[in-house]
Amino acid sequence: MTNQIKLHYSDEVATAIKANKPIVALESTIISHGLPYPENLETAHALEDAIRSKNAVPATIAVMDGIPKAGLSHDELARLSNPQIDTLKLSRRDLPFAISKKIDGATTVATTMMIAAAAGIKVFATGGIGGVHRGADQNFDISADLTELGQTDVAVVCAGPKAILDIPATMEYLETLGVPVIGYQCDAMPLFWSRASDLALECRLDSAREIADLCQCKWDNGLAGGVLIANPIPKDVEISGDIIEAAIDHALHQAASQNISGKALTPFLLDSIRHITDGHSLKANKALVENNAILAAEIAAEMVSATVFK
Ligand code: PSU
Ligand code: MN
């Protein structure tokens, strides 16, 4: 047997796996580094509740005391959201360090996919994936989320790449890696805080059933790797492209003048945009992740019924 991630399941997740119930993975970087306290803790609970309200089981993923976990306790969620505790942001390369040092770490899209796949969980809901940063031709800042999508069999529901990125370059990179990008009930790539962009998508699907089918066909045919589902932010909380673009510009200038780069860049930009938009971006961020959790639960339910009736 090849080695694989050794993980711990919460009772709720272990029971769901045995009973073949639909399960949705959730990431923890958004809790520790993406949202401020106390909204981060409130959102972590709201996401789990949204998934349970759809008769699916949430599996929030993180590394606690060096142990990769699928499903967290209330205490663990509180620990990850506590701003007084410095929690590492773990991408693929950081996982061995956190495990060997037995420390806590919040998982990004990349590491959440890895641990979800090891747990046999096929669907994961997040806010926005990481991607190719603006200026990547000079700084080479390309998120490991993309390479993970190219190799790990998990369907990731997001509201598009974060608009702080170079979106056309991110789309090209996903194409190179062979990652299907599905527009859920939309024809253009959603841009996280805004519903649409001028980037046309070639694959539109209008139901959770069709999305589950596409994933199953991909994996049944031995086509390894993830599927990206782009679910536009709900209309009532979207921020118009002009307003958000001005905020992003401002935030990017602040980051450059304070020499922020590497893994600190995404959290810095999200926080700075929250200040510039007077909290509007935070409200939007919470709503879009919840919207994604609900769609992910529907897809997970369709995947389960497909295996039962096969
Ligand atoms: N989307 C959000 N908030 C976040 C992130 C995404 O709404 O905090 C996180 C995700 O965990 C994603 C990470 O995997 O940012 C990407 O970071 P980087 O660009 O450093 O790879
Ligand atoms: Mn990066």
Side-chain angles (χ1 to χ4, degrees), residues 89 131 133 140-144 261-266:
K89 172 177 162 186
H133 278 267
F140 275 59
D141 191 350
I142 300 174
S143 175
S261 64
K263 68 202 281 182
L265 183 61
T266 297

mmCIF file of all heavy atoms in Angstrom, residues 89 131 133 140-144 261-266, ligand 2:
data_model
loop_
_atom_site.group_PDB
_atom_site.id
_atom_site.type_symbol
_atom_site.label_atom_id
_atom_site.label_comp_id
_atom_site.label_asym_id
_atom_site.label_seq_id
_atom_site.Cartn_x
_atom_site.Cartn_y
_atom_site.Cartn_z
ATOM 1 N N LYS A 89 -0.563 29.171 8.418
ATOM 2 C CA LYS A 89 -1.342 28.937 7.192
ATOM 3 C C LYS A 89 -0.619 27.843 6.420
ATOM 4 O O LYS A 89 0.532 28.010 6.030
ATOM 5 C CB LYS A 89 -1.402 30.244 6.389
ATOM 6 C CG LYS A 89 -2.019 30.118 5.013
ATOM 7 C CD LYS A 89 -2.099 31.493 4.335
ATOM 8 C CE LYS A 89 -2.287 31.377 2.845
ATOM 9 N NZ LYS A 89 -2.231 32.682 2.158
ATOM 10 N N GLY A 131 -4.800 31.745 -6.848
ATOM 11 C CA GLY A 131 -4.507 31.618 -8.285
ATOM 12 C C GLY A 131 -3.225 32.330 -8.639
ATOM 13 O O GLY A 131 -2.319 32.453 -7.807
ATOM 14 N N HIS A 133 -1.175 35.461 -9.077
ATOM 15 C CA HIS A 133 -1.259 36.843 -8.592
ATOM 16 C C HIS A 133 -0.892 37.829 -9.695
ATOM 17 O O HIS A 133 -0.194 37.483 -10.649
ATOM 18 C CB HIS A 133 -0.333 37.042 -7.382
ATOM 19 C CG HIS A 133 -0.963 36.578 -6.105
ATOM 20 N ND1 HIS A 133 -1.672 37.401 -5.272
ATOM 21 C CD2 HIS A 133 -1.025 35.349 -5.557
ATOM 22 C CE1 HIS A 133 -2.146 36.704 -4.245
ATOM 23 N NE2 HIS A 133 -1.764 35.449 -4.396
ATOM 24 N N PHE A 140 6.487 35.516 -9.625
ATOM 25 C CA PHE A 140 6.241 34.064 -9.636
ATOM 26 C C PHE A 140 5.230 33.621 -8.584
ATOM 27 O O PHE A 140 5.222 32.462 -8.180
ATOM 28 C CB PHE A 140 7.554 33.272 -9.428
ATOM 29 C CG PHE A 140 8.304 33.043 -10.701
ATOM 30 C CD1 PHE A 140 8.737 34.113 -11.469
ATOM 31 C CD2 PHE A 140 8.569 31.762 -11.143
ATOM 32 C CE1 PHE A 140 9.417 33.908 -12.651
ATOM 33 C CE2 PHE A 140 9.255 31.547 -12.332
ATOM 34 C CZ PHE A 140 9.683 32.625 -13.080
ATOM 35 N N ASP A 141 4.366 34.514 -8.109
ATOM 36 C CA ASP A 141 3.427 34.139 -7.045
ATOM 37 C C ASP A 141 2.200 33.456 -7.638
ATOM 38 O O ASP A 141 1.264 34.105 -8.111
ATOM 39 C CB ASP A 141 3.038 35.381 -6.227
ATOM 40 C CG ASP A 141 2.286 35.015 -4.958
ATOM 41 O OD1 ASP A 141 1.910 33.838 -4.807
ATOM 42 O OD2 ASP A 141 2.081 35.910 -4.116
ATOM 43 N N ILE A 142 2.228 32.144 -7.639
ATOM 44 C CA ILE A 142 1.122 31.332 -8.163
ATOM 45 C C ILE A 142 0.722 30.360 -7.064
ATOM 46 O O ILE A 142 1.552 29.600 -6.570
ATOM 47 C CB ILE A 142 1.549 30.568 -9.433
ATOM 48 C CG1 ILE A 142 1.991 31.568 -10.517
ATOM 49 C CG2 ILE A 142 0.405 29.679 -9.938
ATOM 50 C CD1 ILE A 142 2.555 30.934 -11.759
ATOM 51 N N SER A 143 -0.546 30.402 -6.674
ATOM 52 C CA SER A 143 -0.988 29.599 -5.527
ATOM 53 C C SER A 143 -0.886 28.102 -5.805
ATOM 54 O O SER A 143 -1.208 27.622 -6.900
ATOM 55 C CB SER A 143 -2.434 29.947 -5.196
ATOM 56 O OG SER A 143 -2.908 29.110 -4.167
ATOM 57 N N ALA A 144 -0.479 27.370 -4.758
ATOM 58 C CA ALA A 144 -0.452 25.903 -4.846
ATOM 59 C C ALA A 144 -1.867 25.329 -4.953
ATOM 60 O O ALA A 144 -2.030 24.142 -5.239
ATOM 61 C CB ALA A 144 0.263 25.324 -3.628
ATOM 62 N N SER A 261 4.399 40.253 0.916
ATOM 63 C CA SER A 261 4.418 39.315 -0.216
ATOM 64 C C SER A 261 4.249 37.895 0.312
ATOM 65 O O SER A 261 4.082 37.677 1.513
ATOM 66 C CB SER A 261 5.741 39.440 -0.988
ATOM 67 O OG SER A 261 6.802 39.049 -0.146
ATOM 68 N N GLY A 262 4.294 36.928 -0.612
ATOM 69 C CA GLY A 262 4.217 35.520 -0.216
ATOM 70 C C GLY A 262 2.880 35.188 0.420
ATOM 71 O O GLY A 262 1.842 35.756 0.066
ATOM 72 N N LYS A 263 2.898 34.272 1.388
ATOM 73 C CA LYS A 263 1.631 33.785 1.945
ATOM 74 C C LYS A 263 0.896 34.833 2.762
ATOM 75 O O LYS A 263 -0.288 34.673 3.064
ATOM 76 C CB LYS A 263 1.847 32.492 2.723
ATOM 77 C CG LYS A 263 2.639 32.653 3.998
ATOM 78 C CD LYS A 263 3.280 31.348 4.434
ATOM 79 C CE LYS A 263 2.301 30.438 5.110
ATOM 80 N NZ LYS A 263 2.955 29.194 5.567
ATOM 81 N N ALA A 264 1.577 35.908 3.128
ATOM 82 C CA ALA A 264 0.916 36.971 3.899
ATOM 83 C C ALA A 264 0.077 37.878 2.990
ATOM 84 O O ALA A 264 -0.764 38.640 3.458
ATOM 85 C CB ALA A 264 1.965 37.807 4.626
ATOM 86 N N LEU A 265 0.313 37.789 1.671
ATOM 87 C CA LEU A 265 -0.324 38.756 0.774
ATOM 88 C C LEU A 265 -1.845 38.629 0.745
ATOM 89 O O LEU A 265 -2.564 39.628 0.903
ATOM 90 C CB LEU A 265 0.255 38.615 -0.645
ATOM 91 C CG LEU A 265 -0.289 39.625 -1.666
ATOM 92 C CD1 LEU A 265 0.045 41.053 -1.249
ATOM 93 C CD2 LEU A 265 0.272 39.355 -3.065
ATOM 94 N N THR A 266 -2.357 37.411 0.536
ATOM 95 C CA THR A 266 -3.814 37.244 0.434
ATOM 96 C C THR A 266 -4.525 37.735 1.706
ATOM 97 O O THR A 266 -5.445 38.556 1.607
ATOM 98 C CB THR A 266 -4.157 35.773 0.087
ATOM 99 O OG1 THR A 266 -3.604 35.483 -1.193
ATOM 100 C CG2 THR A 266 -5.658 35.554 0.030
HETATM 101 MN MN MN B 2 1.353 32.774 -3.024
#
